[in-house]
Amino acid sequence: MIWSLQAAPDLTDKQFDQWSKLLEDRAGICLSDQQRVFLQTQVTMRMRELGHSDYSQYYNRVVDGVSGMMEWSVLIDRLVVKETSFFRHRPSIDFVRDFLQNQINNQSLQESFEVWSVGCSSGEEPYSLSMVINDCFDLAQLDPYYGVTATDISRAALTIARNGIYPQRKVEMMEAHIRQRYFNQQDNGRYLISPELQDRVCYNHANVLNINEMPTIQLDIIFCQNLLIYFRRWLRHEIMNAFVERLKPGGVIIVGLGEVVDWSHPDVTRASNDDVQAYVRNPVGA
Ligand SMILES: C[S@@+](CC[C@H](N)C(=O)[O-])C[C@H]1O[C@@H](n2cnc3c(N)ncnc32)[C@H](O)[C@@H]1O
């Protein structure tokens, strides 16, 4: 096709505004002017795959009814940053381990331990959380119900997460005992997450902007890292407020360090830990 050999035309200011508004309205993601090239590259690559040569024509296709929603779900996967790794921010994961260990020691565990990994990408984060939770319960020789609900806007990322198969380079960065305990190496050298952990994590497609339409189960941990950073400050605050509504008393929200500023809520108290940004829900009546 001749089009595929031609350089893509530059997005005009108006077109850039139109596409970035769509991305912000639908996913909360706010692009800076420096990300214009990124946006243009991703949109034109997709246009080429479909044989479109005109930004406006493709835009109309994306916003048009049910087929537009299907196309949007392909495009959004190209526009989000899905970078992640196992145990990405070690202090935050250790915070979860200590939090649970304390509950076990104080015998303050409730009948279930519920975790939500928000913006879970390809699964490394929820699996890392399951590993530390599993370790704690194993050590204490307890077998209560626990589950990690993991959500993301990218269906492609969720497919990888559900399959639970990771390349050697991602897994070999972990300590050997974790690798041996929670992965099975396959003939092709890749690693499959153990069925024990797979059974604990439930993946769902969800846009965090629709948080108010999601089931309001009460959670022990809401883990949301490297997601709110793409949102405007007011939106981060609104989502944090909605997270608070979903916490059990004593439950905790853990965000990426510095991702939420100038936010407070009467029902939570910031944990005193310089390496972690965590907010604990106050006990009832406090
Ligand atoms: C940079 S990754 C972070 C992954 C993981 N939380 C971590 O810290 O390693 C951001 C993830 O947020 C997801 N995301 C972006 N906007 C979203 C939205 N509005 N709702 C749900 N997930 C979203 C992306 O698809 C991506 O997988």
Side-chain angles (χ1 to χ4, degrees), residues 253-269:
I253 304 169
I254 305 161
V255 294
L257 206 53
E259 282 187 65
V260 177
V261 285
D262 297 337
W263 177 81
S264 62
H265 190 289
D267 294 342
V268 294
T269 305

Side-chain angles (χ1 to χ4, degrees), residues 27 29 80-85 88 118-121 125 152-154 206-209 225-227 230-231:
I29 298 166
V80 288
V81 176
K82 287 174 285 186
E83 184 191 335
T84 188
S85 52
R88 182 171 187 181
V118 192
C120 63
S121 190
E125 177 180 285
D152 203 280
I153 202 171
S154 162
N207 182 343
V208 74
L209 298 196
Q225 303 215 319
N226 304 296
L227 167 57
Y230 299 104
F231 297 174

Side-chain angles (χ1 to χ4, degrees), residues 12 71 79 89 94 96 98 100 113 176-177 196 233 247 254 257 273 286:
T12 62
E71 178 52 27
L79 297 177
H89 186 240
D94 286 344
V96 172
D98 295 346
L100 175 56
F113 192 77
H177 69 276
E196 180 190 7
R233 184 183 289 207
L247 275 187
I254 305 161
L257 206 53
N273 182 326

Side-chain angles (χ1 to χ4, degrees), residues 120 128 188 235 277:
C120 63
S128 304
N188 58 9
L235 184 56
Q277 193 166 345

Side-chain angles (χ1 to χ4, degrees), residues 1 3 46-54 57 61:
M1 194 182 300
W3 158 250
R46 182 60 188 155
M47 280 166 51
R48 268 178 211 179
E49 287 168 14
L50 296 171
H52 281 290
S53 54
D54 181 81
Q57 196 188 39
R61 176 171 179 166

Side-chain angles (χ1 to χ4, degrees), residues 126-135 146 148 197 200-201:
Y127 287 133
S128 304
L129 292 166
S130 305
M131 289 175 207
V132 297
I133 296 166
N134 212 62
D135 284 352
Y146 86 82
V148 180
L197 284 196
R200 293 292 184 173
V201 186

